[in-house]
Amino acid sequence: MCGIVGYTGPAKAAPILLEGLAKLEYRGYDSAGLAVRDGDAPVQIVKSKGRLRALAEKTDEGRALAGNVGIGHTRWATHGEPSERNAHPHVSGAPEDHDRSADPSDVVGVHNGIIENYAELKEKLRKNGYSFYSETDTEVAIKLVEYYYKKYGIGPIDALAKTMVRVRGSYALAVMFRDYPGEIYVARKDSPMIIGVTEGESFIASDVPAILNRTRSVYYIDNLEMACVRPGSVAFYNLDGEQVEKQLTTITWDAEAAEKGGFEHFMMKEIHEQPKAVRDTLHSVLRETETGKEIDLSSVGLSEEEIRRVSQLHIVACGSAWHVGVAAQYIFEDLAAIPVRVELASEFRYRRLLLDKDALVVIVSQSGETADSLAALREAKRLGIKTLGIVNTVGSSIAREADSVFYTVAGPEIAVATTKAYSAQLMAMYLLAVQFARVREEIDAQAYADYLTELETIPDKIARLLEDKDRLQWFAAKFSNAHDAFFIGRGIDYAISLEGSLKMKEISYLHSEAYAAGELKHGTISLIEEGTLVIGVLTQSALYEKTVSNMVECKARGAYLMGLTGYGNYSVEDAADFTVYVPKTDPHFMASLAVVPLQLLGYYLSVSRGLDVDKPRNLAKSVTVE
Ligand code: G6P
């Protein structure tokens, strides 16, 4: 979703801003812009619709803009179509001034998030003589800052604080004031923002990769806080305008981790990083003791007593993280005998929650910033229910606010379509389920040891699967002109189907649906016709025959069948036209293996259709608006 970068220091700002925005391209955007100040000269603003490349060309890679302080933005449209007018930065001045290229801006800024009461504020500002040139909520926010700044004759921090009290919604704001050249002011609520400092230079960014080439020392600005960013120094303030102290954090990941490293796309690189992501996540909690291996959740902050007390689980998430929840429900119920409900965060947050006081709400999120997931977490906390985050991004909002955090160790994920973070989340769920089962005495010591041994084999099995990509590439080329695909499965195979189908549609734009195999004949089977691709997921031996029957029903109506199953189940070839086999593992953990060919299928379909694999249209990596 939208990206923010800022710079103040001795160097020329625009090339640094463009470099940072390029690192945020993966988040998804439809227009981009820069504002750069050169001392007292009028601020220079350049915007363009579409790819960042256009903005780079317009500004001669940034060289055409003089000035050592600036802000940049990639926008993912929420209020108003993608266009230059609606692109950020936005200014406090009138549009006419802007067009005459007089300095339109006592205040100029960029914004991530959504100002919910922008219509009401726009009206208020109109009554006070303001006019608007864009359809955005951001322009309203910037004008409101200027309104308070001038009306009360106060400084930037006080003007921002008054604005923060008045607006509802979420925001990360980066603002420059004409009267304070060389400084960038930042305000944040529910939308991520970090500030990096080095000797004599400061950077701001909505996400770490944007500035990782420049510095590893960052501050996380908290909710409802502000900052004044000067070259090489930062001062933080709370809503009362009082200065607050902050700790510098060192980013430990490698800048390499945010580069493609020889792969054509980030998605393929991240698919190949899955064995490591899964192994690292496993080893983050696996301990060797005198009596054997065991899972130690002390870093998560979940005690055995708390595990025993849990009466029900509510797994809440969005997108692929929700699919992890769907798989996890079968595993938790089967192994640990705990009732589980899995919910989309966007639904959970708006219903009357009748949660048991001993329930545990588990929020799953790669970014730790997904707006609906964060809101669901807060709702559970408000009701006094214990929360556990399964989060990949250290220091993110969900990680900081959840009562306990299980960090997945997938490293930064850049491709919009998640792969390694999904796999790491699955591993985290397995570990929790096995530990819950053991602590609650649903499984004995031997079964516990066996499950742990099996979990340790999964990274290598994923690696083996990755050696056999060619057949899927061939298959994808054959089906690259297909119109519809249906993924069917039961139980955990249904959860795998959901993820396989999402991978296909999000990057190859091929319509696909996932159906619980038994449900297909209640309507959807009417869509099956000659040549429709039906992918049957058949990793659960207890349900194998049932799903094969449903596949055969589709074949009778003309479908082309692909089967996805474990080695040994060769009878599937009696029905399927094309079969993909995965190594065997305990049925509870099959999603980790079966998802890999489906990720590859989505990837190769996207490539063979000539699409932008890492940045699919209309999608965003981190969805920070609801
Ligand atoms: C976006 C991404 C998905 C992701 C979902 C939840 O839609 O494109 O890949 O699954 O958000 O994101 P989270 O960061 O909360 O896991």
Side-chain angles (χ1 to χ4, degrees):
M1 214 146 249
C2 307
I4 292 179
V5 181
Y7 173 79
T8 177
K12 206 167 189 182
I16 295 174
L17 299 176
L18 284 171
E19 172 195 297
L21 289 178
K23 301 277 184 216
L24 297 182
E25 277 194 292
Y26 72 91
R27 295 170 64 97
Y29 68 99
D30 43 50
S31 53
L34 301 176
V36 177
R37 271 196 191 288
D38 187 16
D40 293 334
V43 69
Q44 309 153 82
I45 296 176
V46 188
K47 304 179 186 184
S48 71
K49 193 182 157 195
R51 290 287 173 226
L52 201 54
R53 193 84 293 278
L55 187 65
E57 277 164 19
K58 251 187 183 175
T59 59
D60 187 21
E61 312 295 325
R63 288 186 289 262
L65 297 178
N68 309 99
V69 54
I71 48 182
H73 190 262
T74 43
R75 172 174 186 253
W76 188 85
T78 56
H79 296 70
E81 50 160 20
S83 67
E84 272 192 29
R85 281 243 135 182
N86 287 332
H88 303 205
H90 285 291
V91 297
S92 56
E96 306 81 59
D97 294 343
H98 196 38
D99 290 343
R100 282 202 308 269
S101 66
D103 193 341
S105 49
D106 282 326
V107 183
V108 50
V110 294
H111 161 228
N112 283 0
I114 286 187
I115 308 293
E116 288 169 2
N117 55 340
Y118 83 105
E120 165 211 332
L121 294 171
K122 199 168 185 174
E123 217 26 64
K124 167 192 163 78
L125 288 166
R126 273 209 178 101
K127 286 189 189 134
N128 283 281
Y130 282 86
S131 58
F132 293 85
Y133 58 88
S134 79
E135 298 152 88
T136 65
D137 52 343
T138 304
E139 188 191 350
V140 176
I142 300 302
K143 287 186 166 153
L144 191 65
V145 173
E146 189 205 56
Y147 169 75
Y148 287 128
Y149 179 66
K150 290 195 170 159
K151 178 172 176 193
Y152 297 108
I154 49 182
I157 290 291
D158 291 332
L160 279 172
K162 284 206 182 301
T163 307
M164 290 164 84
V165 170
R166 194 65 178 78
V167 301
R168 282 200 313 273
S170 61
Y171 48 84
L173 273 171
V175 184
M176 299 191 294
F177 292 75
R178 186 214 305 259
D179 304 334
Y180 294 81
E183 297 178 358
I184 304 172
Y185 287 84
V186 167
R188 169 182 187 262
K189 177 176 173 269
D190 296 345
S191 203
M193 184 74 117
I194 54 159
I195 299 168
V197 284
T198 57
E199 199 57 38
E201 295 182 293
S202 295
F203 304 84
I204 63 168
S206 52
D207 206 354
V208 175
I211 59 174
L212 208 52
N213 278 350
R214 303 271 166 183
T215 180
R216 294 174 166 275
S217 304
V218 303
Y219 292 104
Y220 289 96
I221 174 166
D222 272 315
N223 246 353
L224 292 173
E225 285 184 350
M226 295 162 285
C228 166
V229 185
R230 300 192 178 96
S233 72
V234 194
F236 293 92
Y237 301 87
N238 64 21
L239 210 47
D240 296 324
E242 297 158 349
Q243 211 166 326
V244 287
E245 288 305 312
K246 291 233 162 260
Q247 291 289 326
L248 257 185
T249 308
T250 305
I251 304 290
T252 49
W253 15 289
D254 203 336
E256 283 270 298
E259 306 285 345
K260 280 185 207 155
F263 287 93
E264 200 178 334
H265 299 100
F266 281 113
M267 183 176 176
M268 193 49 120
K269 176 182 174 237
E270 289 161 4
I271 286 175
H272 280 80
E273 286 172 345
Q274 292 184 106
K276 178 167 170 17
V278 169
R279 189 178 293 116
D280 289 351
T281 301
L282 170 64
H283 288 153
S284 70
V285 296
L286 199 63
R287 303 272 172 272
E288 191 84 58
T289 69
E290 278 169 14
T291 51
K293 294 201 169 146
E294 65 175 40
I295 298 165
D296 174 4
L297 295 180
S298 54
S299 60
V300 175
L302 207 54
S303 69
E304 295 203 350
E305 201 200 319
E306 284 168 321
I307 291 175
R308 266 183 225 107
R309 210 185 313 131
V310 172
S311 60
Q312 52 183 231
L313 284 184
H314 290 260
I315 304 176
V316 186
C318 304
S320 296
W322 177 72
H323 297 161
V324 168
V326 176
Q329 96 189 315
Y330 297 106
I331 304 163
F332 266 101
E333 292 189 340
D334 204 45
L335 292 182
I338 299 179
V340 184
R341 184 163 171 182
V342 188
E343 289 186 74
L344 294 163
S346 51
E347 292 293 314
F348 180 89
R349 64 182 290 191
Y350 290 123
R351 73 178 174 86
R352 182 173 170 198
L353 293 172
L354 303 172
L355 308 187
D356 187 84
K357 70 175 185 0
D358 289 323
L360 176 65
V361 171
V362 184
I363 309 281
V364 192
S365 175
Q366 186 286 125
S367 61
E369 301 293 351
T370 303
D372 284 320
S373 304
L374 181 59
L377 169 82
R378 289 184 179 157
E379 192 52 24
K381 284 188 77 174
R382 195 183 64 78
L383 295 170
I385 308 295
K386 188 166 163 58
T387 56
L388 164 67
I390 298 181
V391 179
N392 194 45
T393 308
V394 176
S396 58
S397 301
I398 293 173
R400 280 181 293 148
E401 294 185 29
D403 297 314
S404 322
V405 186
F406 191 138
Y407 276 114
T408 48
V409 196
E413 194 177 58
I414 309 292
V416 166
T418 178
T419 52
K420 62 173 179 170
Y422 166 90
S423 289
Q425 288 164 353
L426 273 181
M427 178 50 86
M429 282 295 192
Y430 300 158
L431 290 159
L432 286 167
V434 169
Q435 189 65 358
F436 271 57
R438 180 69 192 123
V439 170
R440 295 163 71 102
E441 295 177 14
E442 291 293 332
I443 57 172
D444 63 17
Q446 187 57 51
Y448 183 64
D450 291 347
Y451 281 128
L452 294 187
T453 307
E454 192 54 39
L455 285 178
E456 288 200 274
T457 69
I458 287 183
D460 287 342
K461 288 176 180 165
I462 296 176
R464 257 169 62 203
L465 271 166
L466 291 172
E467 284 163 16
D468 189 22
K469 299 193 289 283
D470 301 351
R471 284 183 76 236
L472 281 159
Q473 192 169 8
W474 167 84
F475 184 73
K478 183 174 156 77
F479 274 90
S480 64
N481 291 322
H483 295 293
D484 299 290
F486 293 86
F487 290 72
I488 61 172
R490 292 165 185 255
I492 288 173
D493 287 337
Y494 171 51
I496 298 166
S497 298
L498 285 166
E499 181 60 8
S501 169
L502 183 64
K503 286 288 91 73
M504 183 176 281
K505 64 189 136 199
E506 65 184 342
I507 53 172
S508 74
Y509 313 155
L510 198 159
H511 167 248
S512 80
E513 288 188 40
Y515 256 80
E519 184 63 15
L520 199 69
K521 58 169 77 76
H522 296 288
T524 310
I525 202 165
S526 65
L527 294 171
I528 307 290
E529 54 189 24
E530 201 58 40
T532 307
L533 176 59
V534 173
I535 299 174
V537 185
L538 303 153
T539 72
Q540 305 293 302
S541 36
L543 302 164
Y544 177 86
E545 299 290 347
K546 304 271 176 209
T547 302
V548 168
S549 303
N550 299 130
M551 289 169 69
V552 171
E553 288 160 9
C554 294
K555 190 167 189 166
R557 286 150 183 91
Y560 183 96
L561 296 185
M562 170 177 150
L564 175 60
T565 189
Y567 280 112
N569 294 331
Y570 302 117
S571 64
V572 66
E573 293 190 23
D574 297 342
D577 301 293
F578 176 75
T579 308
V580 175
Y581 295 99
V582 299
K584 288 238 152 145
T585 184
D586 183 276
H588 298 99
F589 311 144
M590 265 295 193
S592 290
L593 305 181
V595 77
V596 177
L598 301 183
Q599 295 168 340
L600 290 167
L601 185 59
Y603 175 85
Y604 284 126
L605 273 170
S606 179
V607 171
S608 61
R609 288 160 76 102
L611 301 172
D612 192 345
V613 178
D614 287 334
K615 296 187 284 287
R617 69 183 180 203
N618 305 341
L619 297 183
K621 180 73 184 160
S622 179
V623 180
T624 47
V625 296
E626 66 172 292

